[in-house]
Amino acid sequence: MAAAAWPVDWHDDWSSYAAKLTAWVEQAASGGAELLVFPEYATMELASVFGVGVAADLGLQIGRVAELADEIDDLHARLAARTGIHIVAATLALPLPDGRVVNRSRFFGPDGLLGHQDKLVMTRFEREQWNVQAGSGQRVFDTPLGRIGIAVCYDVEFPLVVRRLVEAGADLVAVPTCTDTEAGFWRVKIGAMARALESQFVTVTAPTVGLAPWSPALDENRGAAGIYGPPDRGWPANGILAEGAMDAPGWTFADVDLERVREVRANGQVLNHRHWDEQ
């Protein structure tokens, strides 16, 4: 699997973004990845396609980028089909027919769109400045790789949100993330590592990185990609399967056999997953 630390770039046109995403997917495929995780809100860099006025306006950019949603999804579907890879796409601020705007992650397999997961717990920025609202519902996706759930950024800091995915059978939870401070990065990292500990499974964090002063939504981005498991028998003692360098763009890879999730839950040095209800 591979987690992206995605630099936020300016694009003069759609073809620039399409070339960037294609190159990233092809690079991960050449590295042997079967599952890719892209960050939270990374698709919002497409506001630049509509010029400085749209890119600098929190409200305008949502509607304009949403105009490209079908093209974004079609590109991801074609790349997943061509490479045979499963892709957790970067999230998108998406207007719904009822007037709400949600933060939506879409999941693609080689056969097309598998479904989506909306963010459930909104940050202060989303609530107070951007008017992006909570979605509803959670699901776990059955794939040939294993049972995969998605917890978007802030959601991974809430044990019961992720626990619902675990109780639905998740072997792995992808965590697209976008944080503008080092403290924000650490909150997500600590949350992802804690969830991997308490549920004895795998979490994968993928951040945006770098500066984009033209974007009030993505102006500062701090983080490092990480792939985490339980610090237990058969796993790294610190629970870190792989981790990228802070604020450095690129892929972070790890080889993970999700059968080991079932093994550690059955015969670990501790049995956090089994003992959850005893707290």
Side-chain angles (χ1 to χ4, degrees), residues 3-4 37-40 119 121 123 126 151-159 162 173-198 202-208 222-228 243 246:
V37 181
F38 284 100
E40 180 184 33
K119 190 173 184 177
V121 186
T123 63
E126 288 167 314
V152 179
C153 199
Y154 196 35
D155 283 352
V156 83
E157 299 177 31
F158 295 88
V162 176
V173 165
V175 187
T177 182
C178 175
T179 56
D180 62 358
T181 65
E182 187 177 352
F185 155 71
W186 278 100
R187 287 192 295 268
V188 173
K189 175 180 175 176
I190 290 167
M193 294 186 74
R195 304 295 81 80
L197 162 65
E198 67 200 13
V202 177
T203 55
V204 184
T205 63
T208 50
R222 304 296 313 277
I227 302 170
Y228 308 108
E243 205 163 42
M246 188 70 178

Side-chain angles (χ1 to χ4, degrees), residues 141-162:
F141 300 88
D142 283 304
T143 79
L145 308 179
R147 292 175 59 81
I148 297 171
I150 301 170
V152 179
C153 199
Y154 196 35
D155 283 352
V156 83
E157 299 177 31
F158 295 88
L160 298 183
V161 170
V162 176

Side-chain angles (χ1 to χ4, degrees), residues 95-147:
L96 300 183
D98 63 8
R100 293 181 302 124
V101 176
V102 297
N103 182 2
R104 177 162 293 179
S105 175
R106 288 95 59 236
F107 189 26
F108 298 86
D111 295 326
L113 179 66
L114 300 177
H116 70 265
Q117 176 64 59
D118 293 340
K119 190 173 184 177
L120 300 179
V121 186
M122 315 315 291
T123 63
R124 290 192 64 185
F125 172 74
E126 288 167 314
R127 296 169 192 255
E128 298 171 15
Q129 299 182 53
W130 214 9
N131 197 32
V132 179
Q133 300 174 50
S136 61
Q138 290 177 276
R139 65 172 294 186
V140 169
F141 300 88
D142 283 304
T143 79
L145 308 179
R147 292 175 59 81

Side-chain angles (χ1 to χ4, degrees), residues 79-101:
L79 289 170
R82 178 155 60 83
T83 60
I85 289 176
H86 286 74
I87 302 174
V88 177
T91 77
L92 177 69
L94 188 68
L96 300 183
D98 63 8
R100 293 181 302 124
V101 176

Side-chain angles (χ1 to χ4, degrees), residues 1 35 107 139-150 162-174 192 195-197 199-204 227-230 235 241 256-265 273:
M1 62 187 65
L35 172 68
F107 189 26
R139 65 172 294 186
V140 169
F141 300 88
D142 283 304
T143 79
L145 308 179
R147 292 175 59 81
I148 297 171
I150 301 170
V162 176
R163 184 66 187 186
R164 286 194 291 268
L165 295 172
V166 172
E167 290 174 347
D171 303 311
L172 176 150
V173 165
R195 304 295 81 80
L197 162 65
S199 292
Q200 294 180 290
F201 73 156
V202 177
T203 55
V204 184
I227 302 170
Y228 308 108
W235 298 79
L241 298 169
V256 181
D257 178 0
L258 292 179
E259 181 59 35
R260 290 169 57 204
V261 169
R262 286 171 280 282
E263 292 172 0
V264 76
R265 285 175 172 175
H273 173 261

